[in-house]
Structure formats: C-alpha cells, structure tokens
Amino acid sequence: MSKTDGPQHDSSTKETGEDKQERPYHLSYSVGVAENQNSKFRKTMEDVHTYVENFGSRLDWGYFGVFDGHAGSQASKWCGAHLHSVLEKDIMDDESRDVREVLNDAFSYADERINTDLGGNSGCTAAVGVLRWEVPENNPNEKIELDEHKRMLYTANVGDTRIVLCRNGHSVRLTYDHKASDILEMQRVEAAGGLVMRSRVNGMLAVTRSLGDKFFDSLVVGNPFTTSVEITTTDQFLIIACDGLWDVLEDQEACDAIKGIDDANEAAKILVRTALKQGTTDNVTVMVVMFENNS
C-alpha cells in the first residue's frame, strides 16, 4: 500500500451480505453549501463552488473549493469546472510530491489558462482544500491498520476567500488575505513596478493575488498561500467562504455561530443568513465541512 492509499478493509476478512448491509460505508465528513446573490446590492452572482467526494477515486478523500469572481464570472466558472481535474491529475501523477507544491502548480496553471483562453479581464479569488488519508513515513509494518492512517488537510488560497478550521472550539485561520492594504503584499506589488493607491493595486483592485486578471499582468499573481494540517479528534468543522462572509464576521464569530449544529447544510445557511443580517454588500457563498470524529 502506498503512503497515500486511503483506508481499506483487510482483503482476508470475509463479510456476508447481511454484514455489509448492517455496516454500510459512509464518509467521515459531510459537506453543506449555501449561497445568496444579495440582490439588494449585487445584480449578478459571480461566486462558484465545487466539492468532490472520494476525490481521485480514493475512499474518503475530499476536494473543496470556493471561487469569488470579479469583473465577470468567467474566471470563477473556469475554476469551478476545471481546477479539481487539474489538481487530481497532478496529484495522481506523483503521489510522493508535497501536495502544497502541487496546489501551487495547479493554481499557476489555472491562472495561465484563464488569461490565455478566456476573453475579457475577469479574475477570481480562490480557496481550496484537499482532504486525504496518509500513513506515517518510515512505517515498518507491511500490513497497515486503519488506525495507523492520519487524515491530512492541504489548503491553498489567493485573494481574500478564506478557510477557517474550528479546533477544540477555537478558530484557526488556514489562509492568508492577499489585500493591497497588507504591507508585505504592497511591497511585492511596488517591487514589480505597480502602485498601491487607496489600498488598491493601481487604484483599482483590492486583492493582490487572484486567478486571471490579465490586465494587471505580473502585479497580481496566482501563486497561493498554502498550508498542511493533520485533522484530529479535536477538529469539529471547516468553513470555506468568500469575503461576503468575512467582511462582516470575524473568524471566531463564524465558528461560534454554528457550534452545536450537526447538519452541514443548516450550518452553511445560518452563516449566510447571519452575513446578510449583518449588512454584507457582496455575494455570499459558504461551504461547511463537518468532520466525524467519533472513532
């Protein structure tokens, strides 16, 4: 079994048809999504989301992505339709590679394809998570038991679409807000020959990293911020959302709003309703991934 093989039953164990019916397989996570155009302030919906169960045809893996478009929805729609396929191919081509490197390559490829193949100047912020099972390196046992696997989450983002993990009741941000008001991003833009005026790149774009936005050339880049974290029994859920949520809710407030909610779809709906009530002026898309940690 390779390092990244998902958990599998011992092939020597025999189960009757009745046993299988009594113990059906189910995912160790559940996904809920809610969205709202916010028609009071927005004429169009430019957010797109995608999630894939058993990602890469691997048992209990998952892919989760939220894409927030601007200057049109072409870029966000491209990512929603294609980025997971690009990433899956790259991961499966070489499973020994660090998934964070693969995410960087996939984001860079998406940025290039959007700028080359699509008309217009649309762009999108993006936040992506890949959940998969791995076994510890240098494992001396030829036979790997289920409890020896560890569940790893890899994330990547550009712009201000954000991923927040609720760990033991406390919010842990796994992404970085690439905004022109950020001193490090401001320095990078200026070093590339751009200007930051009124906390916007060349006075126009509030984010400094995105997929697309070819009008800004090398000033706005597609290289993401990436993280890896092991998901354990202390982790309750993951929130992936565009800035329509985060403009009006702090990370911990969002986590607190859905504590005790068992249904992922209901949790996502609560966060969207809360954002609208708090006066957000943007499209709102929220994805909640709840972890089953009873075992």
Side-chain angles (χ1 to χ4, degrees):
M1 184 181 292
S2 71
K3 175 187 173 186
T4 55
D5 273 338
Q8 299 177 355
H9 292 294
D10 184 345
S11 59
S12 64
T13 300
K14 293 184 179 180
E15 295 181 327
T16 66
E18 183 178 349
D19 289 334
K20 291 179 181 179
Q21 289 179 359
E22 290 178 353
R23 297 189 282 111
Y25 172 76
H26 63 277
L27 294 171
S28 66
Y29 63 87
S30 59
V31 182
V33 183
E35 59 183 14
N36 193 292
Q37 177 182 319
N38 200 4
S39 57
K40 179 180 179 181
F41 297 98
R42 298 286 170 160
K43 294 181 179 179
T44 59
M45 180 60 164
E46 295 179 324
D47 293 350
V48 175
H49 66 270
T50 304
Y51 70 90
V52 182
E53 297 177 351
N54 296 322
F55 181 56
S57 299
R58 292 299 179 86
L59 190 65
D60 211 38
W61 286 24
Y63 167 94
F64 321 103
V66 172
F67 311 99
D68 182 356
H70 49 260
S73 60
Q74 297 95 325
S76 57
K77 286 180 177 178
W78 190 98
C79 290
H82 300 291
L83 185 57
H84 59 285
S85 298
V86 172
L87 187 59
E88 178 182 345
K89 180 181 182 302
D90 288 349
I91 290 175
M92 296 307 165
D93 280 349
D94 183 0
E95 292 187 49
S96 65
R97 287 186 67 198
D98 190 322
V99 178
R100 291 168 294 183
E101 294 180 4
V102 181
L103 283 162
N104 182 75
D105 289 350
F107 271 52
S108 297
Y109 176 84
D111 188 39
E112 179 183 349
R113 290 275 63 80
I114 291 168
N115 287 334
T116 301
D117 299 343
L118 301 186
N121 294 302
S122 73
C124 70
T125 64
V128 166
V130 174
L131 185 68
R132 70 176 190 172
W133 289 93
E134 299 178 1
V135 294
E137 294 182 0
N138 304 319
N139 190 305
N141 300 324
E142 291 185 7
K143 181 180 177 182
I144 302 170
E145 302 295 337
L146 288 178
D147 59 4
E148 293 181 86
H149 288 81
K150 59 181 180 178
R151 187 162 45 168
M152 294 297 299
L153 174 70
Y154 298 89
T155 72
N157 88 293
V158 288
D160 51 10
T161 298
R162 191 181 297 173
I163 301 178
V164 172
L165 174 68
C166 183
R167 167 165 285 178
N168 202 22
H170 301 288
S171 64
V172 180
R173 188 182 302 184
L174 301 180
T175 49
Y176 190 91
D177 286 353
H178 300 114
K179 294 186 177 183
S181 56
D182 180 85
I183 185 64
L184 295 177
E185 287 297 288
M186 184 186 303
Q187 291 172 351
R188 185 191 59 76
V189 169
E190 291 176 345
L195 294 173
V196 174
M197 298 178 289
R198 301 185 301 277
S199 294
R200 292 177 177 269
V201 179
N202 287 354
M204 291 181 281
L205 188 63
V207 294
T208 55
R209 300 193 187 209
S210 69
L211 303 179
D213 285 308
K214 58 187 171 186
F215 176 80
F216 292 93
D217 195 25
S218 60
L219 304 181
V220 176
V221 298
N223 300 100
F225 177 84
T226 59
T227 67
S228 67
V229 60
E230 182 178 357
I231 299 300
T232 71
T233 56
T234 64
D235 299 313
Q236 287 86 45
F237 54 81
L238 199 67
I239 302 172
I240 309 175
C242 64
D243 63 328
L245 177 74
W246 307 118
D247 284 347
V248 295
L249 279 183
E250 298 295 333
D251 298 3
Q252 188 62 47
E253 289 178 313
C255 289
D256 290 343
I258 58 173
K259 280 181 182 176
I261 305 298
D262 295 325
D263 183 85
N265 277 304
E266 180 59 26
K269 290 176 183 177
I270 288 172
L271 289 174
V272 169
R273 289 197 297 264
T274 302
L276 295 172
K277 184 178 179 180
Q278 294 288 91
T280 186
T281 59
D282 205 349
N283 302 146
V284 188
T285 297
V286 177
M287 181 180 293
V288 175
V289 182
M290 289 193 167
F291 303 116
E292 182 179 294
N293 287 318
N294 296 326
S295 59

